[in-house]
Amino acid sequence: MSSLIHSSEELKESIALMRTLLGEDAAGEESAAGHIVSGDGAVAETTASPESLFPDAVAISPDPALPTPAPTADTTPDISIEPPEASETLYRGDQLEGCLHALCNRGGLSGAMIADDNGFAVAAYNSPVESEVFAALASVLGQTIDKAVFFLGQQDANNISLDVNYADKVVVRKFTVADNPFYLIIVCPQHIDERSEVELSIEQIKSILAVETAYAGIEEKA
């Protein structure tokens, strides 16, 4: 079963896109990443450059001289939003970009993008490479998730993580809106557990895309 997964065209294309993401020449030494599919995912290890995709990023840590704020009864961030009206759909990109900006700020992520199943960028915040490349990578890795569902029989598999070097990882979370697949792709330091923040943002993102999808369906029938 492992050999079938490794021979997957989607995985080969993923590695080629990761070379572009890392700025490596396609004819150079193979770079790769650990592939981890949620649930009982498959793992394939290779080596990569230890340099961060965001070498200028500065980690923000609490100032020990400042007093620690007293805990409150509920520290969970309130991310509920009012769904936009149909007349506001022209601003969907701004709304989604705002969601991605908030996600990165809350979770300490380096960058994020939403892409559709055709590999087109829907919205992005601080993409590490050209938007077209990052969106294509999201789509390819998203299709790899589908392969894992087939090969491993894990129907609930919906995300995949790749260690692109010794500092960073790329994570893709698949979700659907009106039966249309979309992908949230993020870049963050390897030590960060991004899952809770991603799940918080997914519902907000879906609510914005759902209104746009419904409005587009109305226009098509008119």
Side-chain angles (χ1 to χ4, degrees):
M1 182 179 296
S2 176
S3 62
L4 291 176
I5 295 176
H6 286 294
S7 64
S8 167
E9 290 302 319
E10 286 79 4
L11 287 178
K12 292 179 182 178
E13 189 173 354
S14 299
I15 293 174
L17 288 169
M18 290 309 302
R19 291 200 186 109
T20 303
L21 183 65
L22 294 170
E24 297 179 357
D25 185 80
E29 296 182 358
E30 291 189 2
S31 66
H35 304 264
I36 304 175
V37 180
S38 67
D40 297 328
V43 177
E45 294 185 357
T46 49
T47 58
S49 169
E51 296 183 0
S52 171
L53 296 175
F54 295 84
D56 299 328
V58 178
I60 300 175
S61 58
D63 188 344
L66 296 177
T68 302
T72 59
D74 183 7
T75 57
T76 302
D78 183 6
I79 63 163
S80 61
I81 62 169
E82 292 295 330
E85 298 295 335
S87 60
E88 297 175 350
T89 55
L90 291 177
Y91 303 101
R92 181 195 66 169
D94 293 335
Q95 292 175 324
L96 292 174
E97 184 176 343
C99 292
L100 298 179
H101 188 178
L103 167 63
C104 291
N105 283 348
R106 289 196 319 266
L109 314 182
S110 303
M113 172 183 284
I114 301 167
D116 64 18
D117 199 38
N118 295 317
F120 293 109
V122 177
Y125 172 72
N126 202 26
S127 175
V129 291
E130 293 292 332
S131 295
E132 293 81 2
V133 174
F134 209 35
L137 177 62
S139 177
V140 169
L141 292 178
Q143 293 167 21
T144 303
I145 295 173
D146 293 336
K147 295 293 185 181
V149 171
F150 173 76
F151 286 120
L152 303 177
Q154 297 296 316
Q155 299 301 319
D156 294 331
N158 60 15
N159 75 72
I160 184 170
S161 174
L162 298 92
D163 295 341
V164 296
N165 52 41
Y166 293 113
D168 302 301
K169 63 182 177 180
V170 169
V171 179
V172 175
R173 168 67 159 84
K174 180 181 179 180
F175 62 97
T176 59
V177 176
D179 295 327
N180 297 312
F182 290 89
Y183 308 102
L184 171 62
I185 181 170
I186 66 170
V187 176
C188 66
Q190 288 188 21
H191 69 273
I192 289 180
D193 185 350
E194 78 293 336
R195 290 171 295 181
S196 60
E197 295 297 343
V198 166
E199 293 307 314
L200 283 172
S201 297
I202 284 292
E203 293 306 316
Q204 187 178 15
I205 292 169
K206 288 170 67 174
S207 68
I208 297 172
L209 290 174
V211 172
E212 174 70 8
T213 302
Y215 186 61
I218 293 174
E219 285 187 324
E220 290 178 358
K221 294 178 181 179

